Amino acid sequence: MTVDEFLQLAVSGVVTGGIYALIAIGFVVVYKATGVINFATGELMMLGAFFGWTAMTVLELPFAAALVVAAAGAAGVGALVERVVLRPMLGQRPISVIMVTIGLSSVFKGLAQLLWGGEYRSFPPIFPRKPLELGPVILPSRQAWPFLIALAAIVALAAFFRFTRTGTAMRATADDQATAFGMGIDIRRVFSLSWILAAVTAALAGVVVGVIGGISPQLGAVGLRIFPVVILGGLDSIGGALVGGIVMGVLENLAGGYLDPLFPGAGVKEVAPFIALVLILMVRPWGLFGTREIERL
Amino acid sequence: MEGGTEPAPAPGAGDVILSIERLSLAFGGVQALAGVDLTVRRGSIAAIIGPNGAGKTSLLNCIAGFYRPQHGRIVFEGRDVTRVPAARRPALGLARTFQNIALFEGMTVLDNIKLGAHAHLETGVFGALAYGAGARAEEEALRDEVEREIIDFLEIEHLRNRSVGSLSYGLQKRVELARALAMRPRLLLLDEPIAGMNEEETEDMARFILDIQEERGVTVVLIEHDMGVVMDLCDRVTVLSFGERIADGTPAEVQADPDVVTAYLGTARVG
Amino acid sequence: MLIGNFKETYADDEALFRTPASRAGLAVLLAAALVFPFVASDYLLYLADLVGIFAIAALGLNILTGYTGQISLGHAAFVGVGAYATAIAATRLGLPFWLSVPAGGLVACLAGAVVGLPSLRIKGLYLAIATLAAQVIFEWVFTNWTGVTGGIRGLNVEPAGLFGFAFDSDRRVYFLVFGLLALLAYGAANLFRTRVGRAFIAVRDRDISAELMGIDLFRTKIMAFMISSFYAGIAGGLWVYFARVVTPESFPLSLSIQFLAMIIVGGLGTIKGTLFGAVFVTLVPEGLRAVTQAATRLSPDAMSWLAPMKEIVFGAMIVGFLVFEPHGLAEIWSRVRRFFWLWPFPK
């Protein structure tokens, strides 16, 4: 395989990885703030994508407005879910909390099928057709633009956490709940906000993924890909999610490119990140950049 | 490892059952224990006292095997147990209770107590699945022992089938003591057995501890803040401060020790 | 009126069915289970077999997750391992079912040990994610190791036979399934009458103090993984003789989630609840189908709602139980019993 082909694989891996990173960040925000492993992240993404699609095709809004609609709709869903379902589950066993989010994902999938039907839909053309050329690497504009949107969203989120009062309060709560509470931070608001943020992030990611490859109620299955990413990056590290997303995107693309010919029809791409996940946990049981829990009596 | 015969109640009372030599333990830069010595005679009740953060619980945790000291030795019944894993120590005759109650919330009082005997039971997984004659006999003997030696003794007949979460703080502490007794200890480590109890509960607990020592010959090492109880119950008192032993002797001797008074009053220590 | 029932000896108190009423209940249940295959329709028998097989697998999962606190998102994969092992033992080695099904259990048990091996270091949510990865990887292997598993075409198996009697219908397989279910449920209940089961619960509730009580955490967790996947493997073996074909798509992540739903709905850490949960979670979608079929008379395209409604009801059932009845059907059952215990003087 030539260097050019390698670069092509690597760069389109980075593009996929950027999107993984965006989804994973939504997941990490919720885990950091509330300790919940959110199995519904993929379905929040799918709902967001459908909101955006509806805004564009049914309401015939421009793309930018559709992004806003997707984000707003998802924010509503996030807030509702946190208030009605997750809050009563505070302090319950991990298995219960995990299962609640799995239950939610199933409800979302069913609702989407009822509302939008089960078939595949695609977004109207949005971006200029001209592919982006980076030296020997050619990126179709369907990939380049969504990647840039994902990147912008990640930068905006990082800025929110670093520079706004609310972002700082959320970071403080994640670090030390009791102290944050003592400082007068409204913990419940932080929990609610973290779900809203996660839903908005997921919705943006959903629109981006939808623009690239079309949408259906099964779109949420991509959510599973979060896990290798956050195990690499650490369940509670936003920077880690970014790095982890991109590394996993590149890894699965390279694995697919180089190993698929050896295993015809096997889809090595699908399984490679999970093998990496297991290997990482063997070496570092709390993820590569995750915080180790200190055991106490 | 262990001899075929269990020692009779308080055999050779007065010999050394536990001896700790130059024990040091540090977490990162914090020195929790700095060369602590401790000798406990068989059949006695020894107290470890000291201000908060003096290293009392750390010392207990080293004896129980939860912490690995960096230096020093722990010798129990003539055997160096410093490196013996925590899970093996109950089989040797060491048992403990916890400062913050650590009962198993998902089990009844009876099952919590039975669990204490775990290290002394033998049923394997196949025996358990089949619940054959061996497992049945073992469980029935255990039930008998628990009822006779522990539940009657600690007066908790009425609590048997309650879930531990529904019990008051004082009763939970009593169940924890029951579980520790089911471990068939020769040395019992009690971390603040009466902290947070009302007067009546305190008296009950003190009586139980005395009975455990006098009637069963079990040696007791306890951590306690209530000086009245310590002075009444204990044969010897060891005082820790900032991870070091600053006094050791009979309750009267320790009470008169000026270093102890200083440590407790919090006057800046010199040197 | 059933008030007043004092046990005479401690041995009576240690029995699984302690009261005359509960022993009578058991007798009635057994009698009903024996009569059922002779009176039920083919469709009901098909469902019963399915419930029985799932109940065996769910028992295994409850031992691991409900009792020992180790979350597994890969239980269906172990059912798959057992199914493939049984099918291979039956077709390649020509073993009869009474050897091939236990072989499936044993191979799954070994797979469980391998997956459980890191459980001393990998804990809690990280372990849950590791079992998720195991699910994905096993599924991939089922599909792609074509030389052994037959790939997507799968493996076909002859019906189980014993002394010339062929278990070639759902009615006949019923006896295999429920015989084994009874045996394995009894085994699971026994486990928690002894030190082995108590150690599992202790590890779930407080692993560190369990260790200080003399419980070897590593051994205990591995043991839970092995027993759990053994049960899964037996369920897989029975699945082979029930479906008579093994294909990779029979053991997806969604089946793992369905097993988790069963133990949540039935009650984490209860044997009885597991059985309730297996029945409930398997039958609710069937009930929904019946309702939808009836609704086609009102609206001809009602059937198109069935798939999404199944998803919604399944999810809502999990969420609803967790929020409103976190102890599941087992707890509801004991509330009902307590009510009748004191009837006609309920407090």
Side-chain angles (χ1 to χ4, degrees):
Chain A
M1 206 169 272
T2 64
V3 175
D4 279 5
E5 280 172 306
F6 173 83
L7 278 179
Q8 184 71 48
L9 282 174
V11 170
S12 65
V14 170
V15 170
T16 320
I19 294 160
Y20 286 168
L22 184 59
I23 310 171
I25 284 175
F27 174 92
V28 167
V29 166
V30 165
Y31 180 78
K32 232 171 130 69
T34 65
V36 172
I37 296 269
N38 183 9
F39 269 87
T41 309
E43 276 66 29
L44 283 172
M45 191 182 109
M46 177 269 295
L47 283 184
F50 269 108
F51 292 149
W53 179 85
T54 309
M56 283 194 80
T57 57
V58 182
L59 309 177
E60 296 181 354
L61 295 175
F63 180 63
L67 276 180
V68 174
V69 170
V77 174
L80 187 75
V81 159
E82 193 278 333
R83 182 67 197 86
V84 177
V85 179
L86 269 303
R87 203 172 291 174
M89 298 300 298
L90 270 184
Q92 298 280 349
R93 286 200 231 166
I95 172 72
S96 307
V97 183
I98 286 184
M99 282 307 285
V100 138
T101 66
I102 288 180
L104 282 173
S105 74
S106 184
V107 172
F108 290 159
K109 233 183 297 177
L111 282 177
Q113 274 180 52
L114 276 188
L115 288 172
W116 289 287
E119 59 269 37
Y120 218 73
R121 297 172 190 276
S122 49
F123 276 75
I126 294 157
F127 302 112
R129 295 188 146 271
K130 209 171 98 61
L132 217 64
E133 285 180 40
L134 306 162
V137 178
I138 300 168
L139 269 185
S141 71
R142 287 190 329 134
Q143 290 189 2
W145 286 98
F147 175 69
L148 292 178
I149 295 174
L151 215 57
I154 292 171
V155 171
L157 265 176
F160 168 80
F161 279 113
R162 182 123 332 252
F163 300 117
T164 66
R165 264 179 68 90
T166 315
T168 312
M170 289 179 73
R171 277 191 295 143
T173 311
D175 282 347
D176 184 345
Q177 241 173 62
T179 310
F181 186 73
M183 306 279 284
I185 291 173
D186 183 348
I187 305 272
R188 277 197 259 171
R189 205 175 130 246
V190 168
F191 282 8
S192 167
L193 259 176
S194 67
W195 272 90
I196 291 173
L197 263 185
V200 168
T201 321
L204 294 180
V207 174
V208 165
V209 170
V211 167
I212 296 178
I215 57 175
S216 83
Q218 304 307 322
L219 183 70
V222 186
L224 277 191
R225 296 300 181 85
I226 300 171
F227 291 101
V229 171
V230 293
I231 287 299
L232 178 66
L235 291 176
D236 55 358
S237 161
I238 289 183
L242 180 59
V243 176
I246 288 173
V247 171
M248 282 298 170
V250 172
L251 176 94
E252 68 167 49
N253 242 18
L254 290 181
Y258 286 93
L259 297 178
D260 265 352
L262 301 178
F263 301 90
V268 179
K269 205 175 165 177
E270 312 295 316
V271 79
F274 289 92
I275 293 174
L277 183 166
V278 171
L279 294 178
I280 293 167
L281 282 181
M282 300 275 206
V283 182
R284 283 175 60 98
W286 53 93
L288 227 44
F289 302 108
T291 315
R292 183 178 196 172
E293 273 179 53
I294 296 159
E295 293 189 38
R296 298 189 58 98
L297 270 176
Chain B
M1 253 195 318
E2 277 178 290
T5 51
E6 287 281 309
D15 66 336
V16 172
I17 186 168
L18 177 73
S19 127
I20 290 173
E21 296 155 22
R22 314 288 312 150
L23 206 66
S24 292
L25 173 74
F27 301 104
V30 184
Q31 193 75 27
L33 296 171
V36 171
D37 292 310
L38 178 70
T39 304
V40 179
R41 301 211 158 267
R42 191 182 292 279
S44 66
I45 301 182
I48 302 168
I49 65 169
N52 283 326
K56 303 182 298 283
T57 297
S58 295
L59 181 56
L60 222 57
N61 278 333
C62 286
I63 304 174
F66 181 57
Y67 292 155
R68 249 333 127 75
Q70 281 90 5
H71 301 287
R73 261 163 38 105
I74 301 168
V75 179
F76 175 65
E77 295 192 323
R79 177 182 169 179
D80 186 340
V81 297
T82 322
R83 310 260 151 229
V84 174
R88 298 259 184 78
R89 298 194 192 197
L92 301 178
L94 277 164
R96 71 170 296 176
T97 65
F98 298 85
Q99 184 177 349
N100 311 308
I101 296 167
L103 291 167
F104 302 107
E105 289 91 350
M107 290 193 229
T108 61
V109 168
L110 184 60
D111 275 345
N112 263 282
I113 301 173
K114 282 180 176 174
L115 187 104
H118 184 87
H120 301 283
L121 304 179
E122 279 159 7
T123 298
V125 66
F126 296 108
L129 285 165
Y131 203 67
R136 189 182 303 263
E138 182 175 88
E139 281 303 312
E140 281 172 10
L142 173 64
R143 177 72 192 263
D144 229 43
E145 172 193 332
V146 166
E147 290 288 344
R148 242 178 326 107
E149 313 255 322
I150 298 168
I151 290 189
D152 282 357
F153 170 62
L154 294 177
E155 298 156 19
I156 47 179
E157 296 87 347
H158 55 298
L159 305 178
R160 252 186 228 116
N161 295 317
R162 293 270 294 273
S163 82
V164 294
S166 67
L167 302 182
S168 71
Y169 180 80
L171 285 176
Q172 289 195 19
K173 288 225 141 185
R174 200 182 290 190
V175 173
E176 235 199 8
L177 180 64
R179 186 179 63 182
L181 285 180
M183 295 169 79
R184 303 179 193 163
R186 290 191 294 283
L187 177 63
L188 181 59
L189 309 167
L190 304 175
D191 198 347
E192 305 201 9
I194 57 169
M197 285 189 166
N198 65 32
E199 203 168 324
E200 192 191 334
E201 289 167 338
T202 303
E203 277 170 21
D204 282 345
M205 186 56 87
R207 180 163 53 83
F208 292 137
I209 295 172
L210 270 179
D211 285 351
I212 289 167
Q213 176 228 8
E214 285 173 2
E215 291 173 14
R216 310 184 173 211
V218 175
T219 313
V220 178
V221 173
L222 57 85
I223 293 175
E224 198 38 77
H225 283 292
D226 186 324
M227 280 310 121
V229 171
V230 169
M231 297 306 152
D232 286 350
L233 282 183
C234 300
D235 305 305
R236 284 194 85 79
V237 180
T238 301
V239 189
L240 294 186
S241 178
F242 295 103
E244 288 180 36
R245 188 175 84 172
I246 59 167
D248 184 59
T250 64
E253 285 165 5
V254 165
Q255 242 173 341
D257 192 314
D259 278 351
V260 176
V261 179
T262 319
Y264 267 90
L265 293 180
T267 317
R269 273 160 24 104
V270 186
Chain C
M1 214 169 57
L2 299 163
I3 297 174
N5 167 45
F6 298 96
K7 290 113 196 167
E8 299 280 320
T9 67
Y10 296 137
D12 288 349
D13 199 31
E14 300 276 325
L16 280 180
F17 294 90
R18 281 175 213 143
T19 63
S22 64
R23 279 192 289 271
L26 179 70
V28 170
L29 188 72
L30 285 179
L34 278 176
V35 173
F36 180 80
F38 299 104
V39 295
S41 68
D42 286 350
Y43 174 64
L44 280 181
L45 276 162
Y46 160 83
L47 284 182
D49 287 358
L50 207 57
V51 165
I53 292 170
F54 284 170
I56 292 173
L59 278 173
L61 184 61
N62 216 342
I63 290 171
L64 180 67
T65 299
Y67 282 102
T68 318
Q70 311 298 303
I71 302 170
S72 172
L73 290 159
H75 202 60
F78 295 114
V79 177
V81 170
Y84 277 107
T86 300
I88 290 163
T91 54
R92 299 265 168 91
L93 309 178
L95 294 183
F97 84 91
W98 48 270
L99 285 176
S100 64
V101 172
L106 286 180
V107 172
C109 174
L110 289 180
V114 171
V115 172
L117 222 47
S119 67
L120 189 66
R121 299 186 64 210
I122 307 175
K123 288 186 175 178
L125 298 172
Y126 286 93
L127 185 66
I129 294 172
T131 60
L132 173 71
Q135 168 77 42
V136 174
I137 294 170
F138 272 119
E139 252 185 90
W140 189 81
V141 171
F142 296 156
T143 316
N144 291 297
W145 197 10
T146 36
V148 172
T149 64
I152 42 173
R153 255 180 286 136
L155 300 170
N156 290 295
V157 181
E158 291 295 304
L162 191 65
F163 305 124
F165 179 86
F167 292 91
D168 55 2
S169 67
D170 289 343
R171 177 167 289 115
R172 292 176 168 189
V173 168
Y174 174 93
F175 291 97
L176 275 186
V177 170
F178 280 80
L180 274 172
L181 173 61
L183 195 68
L184 290 170
Y186 177 66
N190 280 342
L191 216 47
F192 298 95
R193 306 162 81 182
T194 68
R195 74 194 275 269
V196 179
R198 285 193 296 267
F200 286 176
I201 303 174
V203 167
R204 174 195 73 194
D205 284 356
R206 278 171 192 272
D207 55 348
I208 293 168
S209 46
E211 195 176 11
L212 293 176
M213 299 282 116
I215 291 167
D216 184 331
L217 293 185
F218 185 59
R219 270 183 63 120
T220 307
K221 286 183 187 175
I222 289 281
M223 191 87 82
F225 264 100
M226 290 175 75
I227 297 175
S228 160
S229 44
F230 177 78
Y231 274 62
I234 296 287
L238 288 171
W239 169 266
V240 169
Y241 290 107
F242 168 67
R244 301 241 285 282
V245 59
V246 193
T247 50
E249 74 273 8
S250 303
F251 315 104
L253 176 62
S254 60
L255 182 61
S256 286
I257 289 172
Q258 211 173 319
F259 290 137
L260 282 167
M262 287 173 191
I263 65 173
I264 296 259
V265 166
L268 289 169
T270 79
I271 302 294
K272 202 187 306 157
T274 314
L275 304 180
F276 290 156
V279 174
F280 196 81
V281 172
T282 314
L283 294 191
V284 161
E286 297 303 321
L288 206 60
R289 180 197 300 278
V291 171
T292 320
Q293 241 148 16
T296 46
R297 261 179 262 153
L298 304 172
S299 153
D301 58 348
M303 279 318 268
S304 67
W305 302 339
L306 182 59
M309 280 311 289
K310 269 188 185 171
E311 293 269 14
I312 294 173
V313 168
F314 178 72
M317 176 174 72
I318 296 173
V319 174
F321 267 94
L322 284 169
V323 173
F324 299 110
E325 282 292 343
H327 299 291
L329 292 168
E331 170 67 21
I332 296 179
W333 170 254
S334 48
R335 272 209 302 272
V336 170
R337 262 177 60 126
R338 240 171 297 153
F339 177 83
F340 284 109
W341 200 244
L342 298 173
W343 189 83
F345 307 113
K347 185 212 84 118

